[in-house]
Amino acid sequence: MINMNIGPYNNRPDMGRLREIIRVMTKYHFGNILEAVGLKNRLFETLKLYIKSPEEVHEPAHVRLRLVLEELGTTFIKLGQVLSTRADLVGREVAEELAKLQDEAPPFPFEDVKRVLESELGVPMEEVFAEFQEEPVASASIGQVHRARLRNGDAVAVKVQRPGIADTVKSDIILMKYLAKLANDRVPGLRYYNLPGIVAEFERAIRKELDYHQEANNVERFRAMFMDDETVYAPYVYREYSTGRVLTMEYVDGVKLTDILKSDIKFNARVIAERGARCYFKQIFIHGFFHADPHPGNILVQKGNVLCFLDFGMMGHLDRSFRDRLAELFILLMNYDVNGIVNQLRYMNILTEETDLEEVKYDIIDLLDRYYGADVRKVGEILTEFTMPGMIRRHRIRIPRDFVLLARVMSMAEDLGERLDPRFNGLAVAWEMTHKLIRNRLNPLRNLDEVPAAIIELEHIMNDLPRGLISALQKLEEGKLKMELEHRNLDEISVRIERSTNRISVAMLVSALIIGSSLVTIPREALILEKFPFLGIFGFAVSFLIALALIVSIIKSRRLS
């Protein structure tokens, strides 16, 4: 397991790396952002040492952002790739641009490869490999892949992690956390995006990618899912020769989909597109565990049009309940059932209490009308549109992360299917699979799988219930039972009650003064000064002033309310 823990001792940002980030951002004309977070002025003198003359960049902002991330290297490229899956936060235009980020890097020397291998495996290379090609077949920012042959003759692909990359990533994440908090504190407009949360999500994702044990687990799980499917394949993992920094897998011969799309290689494109759609819908609806980067370079086509998936660093997860709801949502989308779609989104906790259901209904109608025609194919596109920032802010909806990832994956898969065969319609496969899933839900035997979990939960309840009741009764008897009540706006209600009570008291006082003043004006009872009932008139005057003040106060409060 790769140690990515960031302790209190080394959590200070690397100021040299910070200067580099500022230099690159200034170079691509993002100085306004630096000024907003208070960095440009602070390090301006240092910047003079790095920037002789900022080059003119005429590209739009989303393109310049991609160039910044590319120049800053591994960690920032990976951050861009994660953000490319979050169109709900950055918008479609930025997400599509960041999806172009290529994780490529110059290969590191074979001496370093050998040192990492022997350190991780604990034995000399010659004891494990009969052959090992020094030139890598692929090189990326985190690791590179070499072709080799084990002592037993098996051909393998060995993925070796780049030396020092874990420390580099750790240092950059500390810096990202610092910058995210700075931006969140100083730029109110950025708080909607929850930058510290984005960095935390990215940290979780890259932790997994740095740990080759996790990728090995993903490969084996995927392989088990399609063990009985002759149209889909995943390489075998050699666990005895794999560690947190070395991953040894079966070497698979095949042609990458990127090469098939660019050349006239003879494959049945329609069969490949149909099998790819069926495979993805199985991953999503049946297993709830799906390959989250269906890039053409990550899929090989073997003889017989068999699809072999590679690179299992990024995977999506959907629980059983969410898959069931998703299948129902698909059927409602394909039937153009707007009321059903709105209700389904409520069941999925995507619509919140703050959502205006009528307004969101009109937006869904507009969205469906843009895609519905003689032949509906773009369910992935519809889902992606629904996760856009404008829709989220306008209707205050809540989008689960894996729902966003799912929408992106489906959109990419639909696009790949159309590039292979323009006549291809993956929704026919989706329709068949979702209906099959709904039929299976009606099967009484399906619930048998849930019986053991239900029995365990019932046993816990039966064991805990008597103890809880006895404890509650004892506290009640002893007068120690406490209740916590959550109140909302009680302070405001209390103020209003107090204000009303004060007004009633004043009104009663005024009434008493008026009555008293009336009595003392009777000549027999009055204190007469030169035949004038002075005390009674004085009481009337005080009552009048108090009553006038009370009326003015009431009029003002009504205007303000």
Side-chain angles (χ1 to χ4, degrees):
M1 177 73 70
I2 301 300
N3 180 17
M4 283 285 293
N5 293 326
I6 299 171
Y9 174 76
N10 61 346
N11 63 353
R12 297 181 61 183
D14 183 341
M15 298 309 293
R17 180 62 165 159
L18 180 60
R19 295 189 197 98
E20 175 69 10
I21 292 171
I22 294 174
R23 182 190 69 78
V24 174
M25 290 187 68
T26 305
K27 172 182 175 181
Y28 288 102
H29 294 185
F30 286 110
N32 58 327
I33 296 178
L34 298 174
E35 289 179 1
V37 298
L39 283 176
K40 191 171 183 179
N41 292 335
R42 186 188 303 179
L43 296 175
F44 183 73
E45 293 300 321
T46 307
L47 280 173
K48 290 180 179 178
L49 302 175
Y50 284 84
I51 305 171
K52 296 180 179 178
S53 58
E55 67 179 35
E56 292 294 324
V57 180
H58 302 289
E59 299 288 353
H62 59 279
V63 176
R64 287 185 280 121
L65 175 61
R66 175 178 58 80
L67 295 174
V68 166
L69 297 177
E70 283 180 346
E71 191 160 333
L72 289 176
T74 301
T75 316
F76 290 85
I77 290 173
K78 292 294 182 184
L79 175 63
Q81 290 174 335
V82 169
L83 289 178
S84 72
T85 69
R86 297 302 306 267
D88 59 313
L89 291 177
V90 300
R92 170 174 285 190
E93 191 175 49
V94 174
E96 289 179 350
E97 186 65 31
L98 296 182
K100 299 177 184 177
L101 286 166
Q102 297 298 313
D103 186 16
E104 298 176 352
F108 53 93
F110 178 69
E111 291 75 14
D112 291 337
V113 173
K114 183 176 181 180
R115 184 163 53 251
V116 171
L117 278 171
E118 293 184 343
S119 172
E120 290 294 307
L121 300 180
V123 295
M125 281 183 59
E126 294 75 16
E127 292 188 16
V128 178
F129 304 103
E131 300 174 14
F132 197 99
Q133 292 185 3
E134 295 188 8
E135 291 297 320
V137 295
S139 179
S141 56
I142 287 182
Q144 63 191 36
V145 180
H146 292 258
R147 187 171 182 177
R149 188 173 298 277
L150 296 175
R151 302 291 296 180
N152 64 3
D154 290 351
V156 293
V158 185
K159 188 174 182 179
V160 183
Q161 194 169 108
R162 191 175 291 270
I165 192 64
D167 292 335
T168 300
V169 169
K170 185 190 299 184
S171 176
D172 279 348
I173 286 178
I174 293 172
L175 196 50
M176 285 179 182
K177 289 181 175 180
Y178 168 74
L179 293 174
K181 186 178 186 305
L182 201 63
N184 199 64
D185 291 344
R186 300 195 179 189
V187 187
L190 293 177
R191 289 172 190 163
Y192 163 79
Y193 297 99
N194 185 18
L195 298 181
I198 291 175
V199 173
E201 179 181 322
F202 167 68
E203 183 180 9
R204 287 193 297 271
I206 202 165
R207 278 176 185 268
K208 294 178 181 179
E209 195 161 351
L210 283 167
D211 182 9
Y212 287 175
H213 283 307
Q214 182 64 54
E215 185 170 353
N217 292 340
N218 294 340
V219 178
E220 290 182 336
R221 181 174 175 181
F222 190 92
R223 181 179 170 87
M225 282 162 39
F226 290 95
M227 185 64 70
D228 298 327
D229 191 334
E230 296 181 351
T231 67
V232 180
Y233 192 76
Y236 175 78
V237 176
Y238 291 83
R239 282 285 189 174
E240 64 271 35
Y241 306 125
S242 298
T243 69
R245 298 175 64 201
V246 174
L247 180 59
T248 303
M249 296 184 294
E250 170 190 4
Y251 186 86
V252 180
D253 283 314
V255 181
K256 287 186 177 182
L257 270 183
T258 46
D259 297 329
I260 293 176
L261 292 169
K262 293 177 182 178
S263 64
D264 297 327
I265 301 175
K266 298 297 181 182
F267 281 94
N268 191 326
R270 185 171 184 80
V271 169
I272 294 173
E274 183 177 342
R275 287 181 175 179
R278 192 173 296 278
C279 172
Y280 258 98
F281 285 123
K282 278 186 179 180
Q283 294 175 52
I284 292 167
F285 291 115
I286 306 300
H287 303 290
F289 182 72
F290 59 93
H291 192 287
D293 191 15
H295 187 275
N298 289 335
I299 302 175
L300 294 179
V301 181
Q302 299 177 283
K303 290 181 179 179
N305 299 306
V306 175
L307 301 181
C308 178
F309 285 77
L310 307 173
D311 194 352
F312 291 82
M314 186 185 297
M315 305 296 291
H317 302 261
L318 301 172
D319 63 37
R320 181 171 176 174
S321 174
F322 193 86
R323 296 199 306 270
D324 290 343
R325 300 296 188 202
L326 187 66
E328 294 165 356
L329 179 64
F330 262 62
I331 292 174
L332 294 168
L333 282 169
M334 288 183 275
N335 286 333
Y336 200 107
D337 185 346
V338 177
N339 289 325
I341 292 170
V342 171
N343 289 330
Q344 193 67 15
L345 293 173
R346 290 173 62 194
Y347 298 148
M348 297 171 76
N349 293 321
I350 291 175
L351 301 185
T352 66
E353 294 179 356
E354 298 177 345
T355 304
D356 187 321
L357 299 183
E358 288 300 317
E359 289 296 323
V360 80
K361 186 183 299 184
Y362 289 130
D363 270 1
I364 289 174
I365 290 172
D366 292 341
L367 178 61
L368 295 180
D369 285 344
R370 289 205 300 273
Y371 288 95
Y372 270 74
D375 191 14
V376 187
R377 303 184 182 193
K378 295 286 190 179
V379 172
E381 288 288 326
I382 294 173
L383 295 180
T384 301
E385 287 279 353
F386 194 75
T387 61
M388 290 297 103
M391 183 77 80
I392 293 172
R393 285 196 294 267
R394 186 160 59 252
H395 299 297
R396 300 179 182 274
I397 59 181
R398 184 192 305 112
I399 303 292
R401 175 191 175 275
D402 281 324
F403 186 87
V404 179
L405 193 59
L406 169 71
R408 173 180 177 268
V409 164
M410 291 196 63
S411 183
M412 291 176 67
E414 287 170 352
D415 179 65
L416 186 56
E418 287 190 352
R419 289 170 65 188
L420 286 165
D421 180 9
R423 299 169 300 171
F424 173 70
N425 185 353
L427 279 189
V429 179
W431 181 266
E432 171 193 338
M433 195 159 296
T434 51
H435 276 75
K436 181 178 180 181
L437 194 63
I438 298 299
R439 286 196 301 270
N440 288 341
R441 287 181 60 189
L442 301 176
N443 184 354
L445 297 179
R446 175 183 184 265
N447 295 323
L448 291 177
D449 295 336
E450 301 176 1
V451 169
I455 291 175
I456 293 172
E457 187 65 26
L458 182 61
E459 183 184 1
H460 289 166
I461 293 173
M462 296 302 294
N463 288 335
D464 294 341
L465 186 60
R467 189 184 307 117
L469 285 174
I470 292 171
S471 175
L473 290 173
Q474 287 176 343
K475 288 181 179 179
L476 183 62
E477 184 179 358
E478 296 170 3
K480 296 180 180 179
L481 188 64
K482 297 180 180 179
M483 297 180 65
E484 293 185 4
L485 299 176
E486 180 182 359
H487 65 83
R488 297 183 181 180
N489 301 325
L490 281 185
D491 293 338
E492 183 180 349
I493 294 172
S494 176
V495 169
R496 290 182 179 181
I497 291 174
E498 182 179 357
R499 188 182 303 161
S500 300
T501 304
N502 291 339
R503 287 174 178 171
I504 292 171
S505 301
V506 171
M508 292 177 66
L509 177 62
V510 170
S511 302
L513 283 171
I514 291 172
I515 294 171
S517 300
S518 301
L519 291 173
V520 299
T521 55
I522 300 173
R524 289 182 310 184
E525 307 289 338
L527 176 61
I528 299 175
L529 183 61
E530 296 181 358
K531 298 182 179 182
F532 187 76
F534 174 77
L535 190 59
I537 297 300
F538 177 75
F540 276 122
V542 172
S543 302
F544 174 76
L545 291 176
I546 295 175
L548 183 63
L550 179 61
I551 292 169
V552 171
S553 173
I554 292 172
I555 292 173
K556 283 185 176 180
S557 65
R558 286 183 177 177
R559 284 179 179 175
L560 293 175
S561 61

